[in-house]
Amino acid sequence: MYRPLISGIRKSGSGFSHSRFFLAALFLLSLLVLCLGGCQRKPSAASAQISDVGFFFDTVVELRLNGTDKQDLIDECFRKMGDYEAILSRTREGSDVWKINQSAGEPVEVSDDTAALIELAQKYYELSDGAFDITVAPYVTIWDFPNNTGNVPAKASIAAARIHVGSSLLHLDGNTVTLDDPRSSIDLGGIAKGYVADRLKEFLVGKGVESGYINLGGNMLTIGTKPGDVPWNIGIRRPFGEASDTITTVKVDGLSVVTSGTYERCFEKDGTIYHHILDPASGYPVWNGLSSVTILSESSVDGDALSTSCFVLGLDRGMELVESLDGVEALFITDDEELHYSTGFPRDTDSATSPSSF
Ligand code: ADP
Ligand code: MG
């Protein structure tokens, strides 16, 4: 069960403080959805618009629905997010992921959703040649990015974790999950939000929603267009810029726009940025000259897994992977703010905010 908190914020059972809320709200503001037209109009039945904000998956989430005033649809989405978090969270005691990580090598029965997600994660492990690997969890635990403000772990502890990392240690047979190594563990942080966004969109479309978006902490999944057949105009944040500073924008109609960036969960120590996208081979943050990777795709789980995968693969190999896939486009932004687009990416040629893009 959830309770509305101040200003319509809903919270899940995971750790939450007011300062984190304000930080998160600031972050949400940076996800600039430019509501051209429509926003100022007085609502009528057909032009009704409802939205709400909550806190799940350790991030701020936002839902907007156009053409309906059914608040119960939004309430149901928040309830579903709570249910997904309860099975997919690594830190929530009793979740499927928690059970897998406590299994000490024994097989564990998981829900259909967890099994589906692990199967997809394994697919992306293969597709990315090991760059996307949910068994990075031992490193994730050591680095503890959401809470770490500047503590670089000892080399020896990273090295000790390394032998327990590798998705070849993870097996899925129907709904049964086995980790060969009792000290291995999994973390679905690089893929779960995309999966949940897809399920929420399915639910909403099934209820007749034709326009809106699901924003799970920057994983943006649009439904149709804005009223009047106007595409959504999604801002892509300037890495390390002010919260509202967009480097460019992209117009989409029903697509997912997901970004993985170094600036999202990081700290700086002695001039080095330590961030949350980890190289499975080393256990250290990926330092390859990239600041962010944005993926456009139909399904948000693909976008989520690919944004992390491509970040780890780097500009050349990541771009090669994107170009080999149908229906997927990417924007890679380097540390010096160069913008590299895949061939079919709908570039924003009007934007004065992207002087370095051509
Ligand atoms: P965000 O959580 O900000 O949306 P990502 O989708 O890029 O960012 O996922 C990063 C998260 O995925 C990390 O916080 C960690 O939980 C997990 N992760 C880190 N490195 C990898 C990796 N190489 N493969 C799979 N998951 C990873
Ligand atoms: Mg991801």
Side-chain angles (χ1 to χ4, degrees), residues 79-114:
R79 202 189 58 72
K80 285 176 183 291
M81 283 188 232
D83 290 348
Y84 283 118
E85 190 172 41
I87 59 167
L88 302 176
S89 163
R90 180 175 54 89
T91 51
R92 179 83 69 88
E93 205 170 314
S95 75
D96 280 352
V97 171
W98 186 86
K99 284 186 212 155
I100 293 166
N101 293 346
Q102 302 294 315
S103 65
E106 294 299 316
V108 177
E109 281 297 301
V110 298
S111 65
D112 291 348
D113 284 305
T114 307

Side-chain angles (χ1 to χ4, degrees), residues 63-279:
L63 294 174
R64 172 169 295 183
L65 308 181
N66 293 321
T68 179
D69 56 5
K70 290 186 186 149
Q71 178 66 31
D72 57 319
L73 290 179
I74 288 190
D75 292 344
E76 180 63 12
C77 285
F78 283 123
R79 202 189 58 72
K80 285 176 183 291
M81 283 188 232
D83 290 348
Y84 283 118
E85 190 172 41
I87 59 167
L88 302 176
S89 163
R90 180 175 54 89
T91 51
R92 179 83 69 88
E93 205 170 314
S95 75
D96 280 352
V97 171
W98 186 86
K99 284 186 212 155
I100 293 166
N101 293 346
Q102 302 294 315
S103 65
E106 294 299 316
V108 177
E109 281 297 301
V110 298
S111 65
D112 291 348
D113 284 305
T114 307
L117 202 37
I118 290 175
E119 191 177 355
L120 282 162
Q122 294 290 60
K123 178 185 127 185
Y124 278 101
Y125 173 71
E126 299 292 332
L127 197 65
S128 68
D129 209 8
F132 185 84
D133 189 341
I134 57 173
T135 69
V136 293
Y139 302 142
V140 174
T141 306
I142 292 170
W143 284 99
D144 190 22
F145 275 104
N147 305 307
N148 190 342
T149 51
N151 170 35
V152 178
K155 276 188 183 141
S157 72
I158 304 269
R162 205 169 288 143
I163 53 168
H164 309 297
V165 172
S167 277
S168 53
L169 297 163
L170 173 67
H171 307 283
L172 177 71
D173 180 10
N175 283 35
T176 307
V177 181
T178 316
L179 277 169
D180 289 340
D181 177 344
R183 295 185 62 189
S184 293
S185 52
I186 64 165
D187 176 283
L188 298 175
I191 190 168
K193 289 199 291 286
Y195 179 85
V196 171
D198 287 336
R199 298 291 80 75
L200 296 178
K201 179 170 172 175
E202 249 168 36
F203 165 72
L204 291 168
V205 169
K207 294 289 181 187
V209 174
E210 293 176 351
S211 170
Y213 62 77
I214 298 153
N215 178 2
L216 305 186
N219 276 40
M220 179 69 83
L221 179 58
T222 61
I223 303 172
T225 60
K226 286 190 279 187
D229 230 10
V230 181
W232 298 100
N233 199 16
I234 311 291
I236 295 171
R237 189 174 159 181
R238 183 184 302 280
F240 298 102
E242 292 294 313
S244 60
D245 188 1
T246 57
I247 198 162
T248 187
T249 61
V250 59
K251 292 189 172 59
V252 293
D253 166 358
L255 291 183
S256 157
V257 184
V258 176
T259 300
S260 287
T262 51
Y263 51 86
E264 281 166 9
R265 290 172 200 265
C266 65
F267 63 81
E268 185 173 350
K269 182 87 187 285
D270 302 329
T272 301
I273 306 271
Y274 294 86
H275 64 87
H276 72 313
I277 305 170
L278 302 169
D279 181 350

Side-chain angles (χ1 to χ4, degrees), residues 301-323:
V301 75
D302 291 334
D304 199 357
L306 280 170
S307 66
T308 310
S309 303
C310 289
F311 195 103
V312 179
L313 286 170
L315 178 57
D316 293 341
R317 291 178 69 207
M319 190 64 91
E320 201 181 309
L321 174 59
V322 167
E323 296 289 12

